[in-house]
Amino acid sequence: MDDGSPTPPSPFPGVNVPEYSVSEISGAIKRTLEGTFGRVRVRGEITEFKRYSSGHLYFSLKDEGGKISGVVWRGSVSRLGLVPENGLEIIATGRVSSYGERSSYQLIVEKMEYAGEGALLARIERLRLKLAQEGLFDAERKRRIPRLPRVIGIVTSMQGAVLHDIRTTIARRFPRHLLIWPVAVQGEGAAAQIAAAVEGFSLLGRPGPGENLPRPDVLIVARGGGSLEDLMAFNDEAVLRAVAACPIPVISAVGHETDTTLIDFVSDMRAPTPTAAAELAVPVRDELLADLTHRVARMGSALNRIAQTARLRLDRAASGLPDLPSLLSTARMRLDDRSHRLDLALPALLERRKAALVAAERHMPAPSALFSDRRSRLSLDNAALGAAMTAARRAAEARLGRQRLTAAPLQALCRERQAHLLGVGNVLESVSPRAVLDRGYVLVRDMAGDAVTRAAGLNPGQRVTLVFADDERLARIEARKDTAQGALDL
């Protein structure tokens, strides 16, 4: 069978074993491998993965029985379909080729895919446990979605119905300003684009290239449904950490209602569909207006009730108050009456006091008729008292003649004069013997005018003067037969 390979002549006669050069045998092996394994799919676990500065990727695929080297050229990296990493079980599609300079063969990979859902789920579970231990799924970290955001940021693909559904739903419920950051939602580089979009929205509003753009109040990260492999970009660790670090509240809406990705755990709120995410982001305008109208009506009714209650309370308090004008009028009339009566009462009071003083002076006994040893002192005291009373009376009469007193000063003056007069009267009563005589006593004087204080000093037949309260009588002392004391014969 002629396979096209050259048949070199044998250098030794009689020997039929062909002879090849190194280059020839390497080329023949390469042609054989590439011809036999032109396009194959190899399943194995990635190990010894390296990314060179040239952009090429070098790794090995291994299973329980062997290992094969693999390479991804720089031009095929963007079309791989996933991001290779050590420990990932994949199915690599490519061709087998040899490298003659090292006498080795390798698998030139053009496409990678996960080796079944079991491998994907195991990888997702490992990442979930890791992030859960770090606390990225804790409820305490989740932020509250604003009630009515001004700007909504959307991270999704420009193709497909997802963006259309979100825009139409927001326009129907409550139109808001939208900022769209288009990204790839599956395939190679999708995770990096999604993470960059989330981080970029976080930087808006700060000094820099995006300072003229408003910063969103809420983010929606969304894509349509798909297989587990299609949704793997939303299970990527870089995307999850970007969402966890984002200061803007994030709503995740990835896949259909039954689809679950790790971004649902780390986001602040999960929506079952992209349309539901738009409904969670904004309220219904008509419902909000109706609620505000209802609240305004209730507030108006409450204010009216409060005003009515306060008015009733004020009316009850006002009805309990007295008639102030009437009270003032009565008080004014009473004041005028008291003032007029005071004007009339003060002169009358002074006249009565004057008459009482004159009568007291008229009935006072002569100082010489009292006790001889006290005569001089009483005469001086009575003279001084009479002079003081006369001066006070004259001063009061002079003041009354010069000015018209008002009610308050007149009352004070009356009280002062009344107290003074009472004091003078008490002094007169205390020194006047007539106060004693009014109580039924009699003052006995001898003919010389001296007071007789002892009966032993009287002799029978002696004449004495008896001083009563209203008059004087002469009497003679007579002896009594039944006693040694004398008797008075009037």
Side-chain angles (χ1 to χ4, degrees):
M1 181 177 180
D2 188 5
D3 57 358
S5 298
T7 304
S10 177
F12 301 100
V15 179
N16 59 359
V17 178
E19 180 180 314
Y20 300 97
S21 65
V22 174
S23 299
E24 289 176 341
I25 194 64
S26 296
I29 293 173
K30 181 177 181 179
R31 287 192 296 270
T32 301
L33 290 174
E34 293 179 352
T36 305
F37 304 99
R39 187 169 183 82
V40 295
R41 300 180 67 209
V42 181
R43 180 171 183 165
E45 180 184 343
I46 297 178
T47 184
E48 301 174 0
F49 177 80
K50 294 180 181 180
R51 186 187 297 270
Y52 285 83
S53 58
S54 60
H56 306 318
L57 307 180
Y58 292 91
F59 58 93
S60 297
L61 288 179
K62 70 174 184 176
D63 58 12
E64 295 82 357
K67 182 170 68 172
I68 183 174
S69 298
V71 62
V72 180
W73 304 125
R74 180 177 57 189
S76 301
V77 171
S78 60
R79 300 189 299 271
L80 275 181
L82 58 83
V83 178
E85 60 183 43
N86 289 326
L88 190 62
E89 186 177 1
I90 64 168
I91 298 177
T93 302
R95 56 189 177 85
V96 179
S97 181
S98 65
Y99 187 45
E101 294 183 4
R102 295 185 180 178
S103 300
S104 62
Y105 66 95
Q106 59 188 2
L107 178 64
I108 301 176
V109 179
E110 299 173 355
K111 182 181 178 182
M112 290 183 181
E113 55 187 311
Y114 294 100
E117 291 190 359
L120 294 179
L121 293 175
R123 178 173 179 269
I124 293 172
E125 181 63 17
R126 288 195 300 269
L127 182 58
R128 187 190 70 82
L129 294 176
K130 174 183 176 182
L131 298 182
Q133 292 177 354
E134 296 180 13
L136 268 63
F137 301 158
D138 294 346
E140 293 78 9
R141 299 185 65 260
K142 298 186 181 300
R143 293 169 291 268
R144 178 178 174 271
I145 304 300
R147 172 67 175 171
L148 186 60
R150 296 173 302 169
V151 181
I152 300 175
I154 302 175
V155 178
T156 189
S157 174
M158 293 296 292
Q159 290 77 28
V162 172
L163 181 59
H164 174 74
D165 293 343
I166 294 176
R167 297 172 73 172
T168 55
T169 301
I170 293 177
R172 170 174 50 84
R173 291 172 63 88
F174 204 123
R176 297 281 86 187
H177 184 64
L178 303 181
L179 283 180
I180 302 171
W181 195 306
V183 296
V185 294
Q186 70 182 55
E188 177 67 21
Q193 293 183 31
I194 296 171
V198 174
E199 294 173 355
F201 272 127
S202 303
L203 298 176
L204 290 182
R206 301 179 183 179
E211 60 181 349
N212 296 326
L213 293 175
R215 182 177 179 179
D217 299 311
V218 63
L219 289 183
I220 298 177
V221 181
R223 69 147 288 159
S227 63
L228 183 58
E229 291 84 354
D230 295 336
L231 303 179
M232 282 302 295
F234 299 92
N235 292 317
D236 187 83
E237 184 174 359
V239 174
L240 301 180
R241 293 192 180 276
V243 171
C246 181
I248 306 172
V250 178
I251 301 176
S252 63
V254 178
H256 298 300
E257 187 170 355
T258 56
D259 296 326
T260 302
T261 55
L262 294 182
I263 195 175
D264 297 332
F265 296 96
V266 77
S267 61
D268 298 291
M269 181 175 289
R270 176 188 180 270
T273 61
T275 302
E279 294 175 350
L280 292 174
V282 294
V284 179
R285 183 187 182 93
D286 295 338
E287 294 179 357
L288 188 60
L289 291 176
D291 181 67
L292 289 176
T293 302
H294 177 66
R295 291 177 182 271
V296 169
R298 291 181 58 189
M299 186 179 296
S301 300
L303 290 176
N304 289 333
R305 288 195 300 271
I306 293 173
Q308 291 176 1
T309 303
R311 191 177 297 110
L312 291 175
R313 188 181 297 112
L314 180 60
D315 293 341
R316 288 195 298 268
S319 62
L321 292 175
D323 187 2
L324 296 181
S326 177
L327 290 178
L328 291 176
S329 177
T330 303
R332 190 178 296 110
M333 294 175 60
R334 187 181 296 111
L335 179 61
D336 294 340
D337 179 65
R338 297 293 189 271
S339 177
H340 178 68
R341 291 173 61 184
L342 184 61
D343 292 341
L344 298 177
L346 185 58
L349 177 64
L350 292 176
E351 290 297 330
R352 288 196 301 271
R353 295 300 183 187
K354 185 188 301 182
L357 289 174
V358 172
E361 290 175 355
R362 184 181 300 117
H363 290 86
M364 287 181 64
S368 60
L370 297 176
F371 309 101
S372 57
D373 57 343
R374 301 178 184 173
R375 187 177 303 157
S376 59
R377 292 196 301 272
L378 291 176
S379 61
L380 291 175
D381 293 340
N382 289 335
L385 181 59
M389 292 175 63
T390 302
R393 183 170 63 253
R394 290 175 179 174
E397 291 174 352
R399 283 197 297 271
L400 288 174
R402 286 196 305 268
Q403 62 181 359
R404 179 181 178 85
L405 300 177
T406 60
L410 287 175
Q411 292 176 358
L413 181 60
C414 289
R415 289 193 297 269
E416 179 184 355
R417 297 309 178 198
Q418 182 179 3
H420 179 70
L421 291 175
L422 289 176
V424 173
N426 293 332
V427 173
L428 291 175
E429 291 292 336
S430 64
V431 301
S432 175
R434 295 188 181 276
V436 179
L437 299 180
D438 288 338
R439 295 197 294 271
Y441 294 93
V442 176
L443 178 62
V444 181
R445 296 177 180 169
D446 56 15
M447 299 309 296
D450 297 328
V452 179
T453 59
R454 296 290 186 268
L458 296 176
N459 298 318
Q462 183 180 348
R463 299 182 68 85
V464 294
T465 301
L466 302 179
V467 182
F468 295 91
D470 56 348
D471 202 354
E472 298 180 358
R473 292 289 187 269
L474 293 175
R476 182 173 57 81
I477 301 298
E478 290 184 358
R480 295 181 61 178
K481 296 179 180 181
D482 55 348
T483 178
Q485 297 180 352
L488 296 179
D489 182 13
L490 302 177

Coordinates of all heavy atoms in Angstrom, one line a residue, residues 125-158:
E125 N -21.1 24.6 43.4 CA -21.3 24.3 44.8 C -20.0 24.6 45.6 O -20.1 25.2 46.7 CB -21.6 22.8 45.0 CG -21.9 22.4 46.5 CD -23.0 23.2 47.1 OE1 -23.9 23.7 46.4 OE2 -23.1 23.2 48.4
R126 N -18.8 24.3 45.1 CA -17.6 24.7 45.7 C -17.5 26.2 45.9 O -17.1 26.7 47.0 CB -16.4 24.2 45.0 CG -16.2 22.7 45.0 CD -14.8 22.3 44.6 NE -14.6 22.7 43.2 CZ -14.8 21.9 42.1 NH1 -15.4 20.7 42.3 NH2 -14.6 22.3 40.9
L127 N -17.8 26.9 44.8 CA -17.8 28.4 44.9 C -18.8 29.0 45.9 O -18.6 29.9 46.6 CB -18.0 29.0 43.5 CG -17.9 30.5 43.4 CD1 -16.5 31.0 43.9 CD2 -18.1 31.0 42.0
R128 N -20.0 28.3 45.9 CA -21.1 28.8 46.8 C -20.6 28.7 48.3 O -20.8 29.6 49.1 CB -22.3 28.0 46.5 CG -23.5 28.5 47.3 CD -24.7 27.6 47.2 NE -24.4 26.4 47.9 CZ -24.6 26.2 49.3 NH1 -25.0 27.2 50.0 NH2 -24.4 25.1 49.8
L129 N -20.0 27.5 48.6 CA -19.6 27.3 50.0 C -18.5 28.3 50.3 O -18.5 28.8 51.5 CB -19.1 25.9 50.1 CG -20.2 24.8 50.0 CD1 -19.5 23.4 50.1 CD2 -21.2 24.9 51.1
K130 N -17.6 28.6 49.4 CA -16.5 29.5 49.7 C -17.0 30.9 50.0 O -16.6 31.5 51.0 CB -15.6 29.5 48.5 CG -14.5 30.5 48.6 CD -13.6 30.5 47.3 CE -12.6 31.6 47.4 NZ -11.8 31.7 46.1
L131 N -17.9 31.4 49.1 CA -18.5 32.7 49.3 C -19.4 32.8 50.5 O -19.5 33.9 51.2 CB -19.2 33.2 48.1 CG -18.4 33.3 46.8 CD1 -19.2 33.7 45.6 CD2 -17.2 34.2 47.0
A132 N -20.1 31.7 50.8 CA -21.0 31.7 52.0 C -20.1 31.9 53.3 O -20.5 32.5 54.2 CB -21.8 30.5 52.0
Q133 N -19.0 31.2 53.3 CA -18.1 31.3 54.5 C -17.6 32.7 54.6 O -17.4 33.2 55.8 CB -17.0 30.3 54.4 CG -17.4 28.8 54.5 CD -16.3 27.9 54.3 OE1 -15.1 28.3 54.0 NE2 -16.5 26.6 54.6
E134 N -17.4 33.4 53.5 CA -17.0 34.8 53.6 C -18.1 35.8 54.0 O -17.8 37.0 54.2 CB -16.4 35.2 52.3 CG -15.1 34.4 51.9 CD -14.5 34.9 50.6 OE1 -15.0 35.9 50.1 OE2 -13.7 34.2 50.0
G135 N -19.3 35.3 54.0 CA -20.4 36.2 54.4 C -21.0 37.0 53.3 O -21.8 37.9 53.6
L136 N -20.7 36.7 52.0 CA -21.3 37.4 50.9 C -22.8 37.2 50.7 O -23.4 38.0 50.0 CB -20.5 37.1 49.6 CG -19.3 38.1 49.3 CD1 -18.3 37.9 50.4 CD2 -18.7 37.8 47.9
F137 N -23.3 36.2 51.3 CA -24.7 35.9 51.1 C -25.6 36.3 52.3 O -26.8 36.1 52.4 CB -25.0 34.4 50.9 CG -24.2 33.8 49.7 CD1 -24.0 32.5 49.6 CD2 -23.8 34.7 48.7 CE1 -23.3 32.0 48.5 CE2 -23.2 34.2 47.6 CZ -22.9 32.8 47.5
D138 N -25.0 36.9 53.4 CA -25.7 37.3 54.6 C -26.8 38.3 54.3 O -26.6 39.2 53.5 CB -24.7 37.8 55.6 CG -23.7 36.7 56.1 OD1 -24.0 35.6 55.8 OD2 -22.7 37.1 56.7
A139 N -27.9 38.1 55.0 CA -29.0 39.1 54.8 C -28.7 40.5 55.3 O -29.2 41.5 54.9 CB -30.2 38.5 55.5
E140 N -27.8 40.6 56.3 CA -27.4 41.9 56.9 C -26.7 42.8 55.8 O -26.7 44.0 56.0 CB -26.5 41.7 58.1 CG -27.2 41.1 59.3 CD -27.3 39.6 59.2 OE1 -26.7 39.0 58.2 OE2 -28.0 38.9 60.0
R141 N -26.1 42.2 54.8 CA -25.4 42.9 53.8 C -26.3 43.5 52.7 O -26.0 44.4 52.0 CB -24.3 42.1 53.1 CG -23.3 41.5 54.0 CD -22.2 40.8 53.2 NE -21.5 41.7 52.3 CZ -21.7 41.8 51.1 NH1 -22.7 41.2 50.5 NH2 -21.0 42.7 50.3
K142 N -27.5 43.0 52.7 CA -28.4 43.4 51.6 C -29.0 44.8 51.8 O -29.4 45.1 52.9 CB -29.5 42.3 51.4 CG -29.0 41.0 51.0 CD -30.1 40.0 50.7 CE -29.5 38.6 50.4 NZ -28.6 38.6 49.2
R143 N -29.0 45.6 50.8 CA -29.5 46.9 50.8 C -31.0 47.0 50.4 O -31.4 46.2 49.6 CB -28.6 47.9 50.0 CG -27.2 48.0 50.5 CD -26.4 48.7 49.5 NE -26.1 47.9 48.3 CZ -25.1 47.0 48.2 NH1 -24.2 46.9 49.2 NH2 -25.0 46.3 47.2
R144 N -31.6 48.0 50.9 CA -33.0 48.2 50.5 C -33.2 48.9 49.2 O -32.5 49.8 48.8 CB -33.7 49.1 51.6 CG -35.2 49.4 51.3 CD -35.7 50.3 52.5 NE -37.1 50.7 52.2 CZ -37.4 51.8 51.6 NH1 -36.4 52.6 51.2 NH2 -38.6 52.2 51.4
I145 N -34.1 48.4 48.3 CA -34.3 48.9 47.0 C -35.1 50.2 47.2 O -36.1 50.3 47.9 CB -35.1 47.9 46.1 CG1 -34.4 46.6 46.1 CG2 -35.3 48.5 44.8 CD1 -33.0 46.6 45.5
P146 N -34.7 51.3 46.6 CA -35.4 52.6 46.7 C -36.8 52.5 46.2 O -37.1 51.8 45.2 CB -34.5 53.6 45.9 CG -33.7 52.8 45.0 CD -33.5 51.4 45.7
R147 N -37.7 53.3 46.8 CA -39.1 53.2 46.4 C -39.3 53.8 45.0 O -40.1 53.2 44.2 CB -39.9 54.0 47.5 CG -41.4 54.3 47.1 CD -42.2 53.0 47.2 NE -43.6 53.2 46.9 CZ -44.5 52.3 46.8 NH1 -44.1 51.0 46.8 NH2 -45.8 52.6 46.6
L148 N -38.7 54.9 44.7 CA -38.9 55.5 43.4 C -37.6 56.0 42.9 O -37.2 57.2 43.2 CB -39.9 56.7 43.5 CG -40.3 57.3 42.2 CD1 -40.9 56.3 41.2 CD2 -41.3 58.5 42.4
P149 N -36.8 55.2 42.2 CA -35.5 55.6 41.8 C -35.6 56.6 40.6 O -36.5 56.6 39.8 CB -34.8 54.3 41.3 CG -36.0 53.5 40.9 CD -37.1 53.8 41.9
R150 N -34.6 57.5 40.6 CA -34.6 58.5 39.5 C -33.9 58.0 38.3 O -34.4 58.2 37.1 CB -33.8 59.8 40.0 CG -34.4 60.5 41.1 CD -33.5 61.6 41.6 NE -32.2 61.0 42.0 CZ -31.2 61.8 42.3 NH1 -31.2 63.1 42.2 NH2 -30.1 61.2 42.7
V151 N -32.8 57.2 38.5 CA -32.1 56.6 37.4 C -31.9 55.1 37.6 O -31.6 54.7 38.8 CB -30.7 57.3 37.2 CG1 -29.9 56.6 36.0 CG2 -30.8 58.8 37.0
I152 N -32.1 54.3 36.6 CA -32.0 52.8 36.7 C -30.9 52.4 35.7 O -31.0 52.7 34.5 CB -33.4 52.1 36.4 CG1 -34.5 52.6 37.3 CG2 -33.2 50.6 36.4 CD1 -35.8 52.1 37.0
G153 N -29.9 51.7 36.2 CA -28.9 51.1 35.4 C -29.2 49.6 35.0 O -29.7 48.9 35.8
I154 N -29.0 49.3 33.8 CA -29.3 48.0 33.3 C -28.0 47.4 32.7 O -27.4 48.0 31.8 CB -30.4 48.0 32.2 CG1 -31.7 48.7 32.8 CG2 -30.7 46.7 31.7 CD1 -32.8 48.9 31.8
V155 N -27.7 46.2 33.1 CA -26.6 45.4 32.6 C -27.1 44.2 31.9 O -27.6 43.2 32.5 CB -25.6 45.0 33.7 CG1 -24.4 44.2 33.1 CG2 -25.1 46.2 34.4
T156 N -27.1 44.2 30.6 CA -27.6 43.0 29.8 C -27.2 43.2 28.4 O -26.4 44.1 28.0 CB -29.2 43.0 29.9 OG1 -29.7 41.8 29.3 CG2 -29.8 44.2 29.1
S157 N -27.6 42.2 27.5 CA -27.2 42.2 26.1 C -28.2 43.1 25.3 O -29.4 43.2 25.7 CB -27.3 40.8 25.6 OG -27.0 40.8 24.2
M158 N -27.6 43.7 24.3 CA -28.5 44.5 23.4 C -29.4 43.7 22.5 O -30.4 44.2 22.0 CB -27.6 45.5 22.6 CG -26.9 46.5 23.4 SD -27.9 47.7 24.2 CE -28.6 48.6 22.8

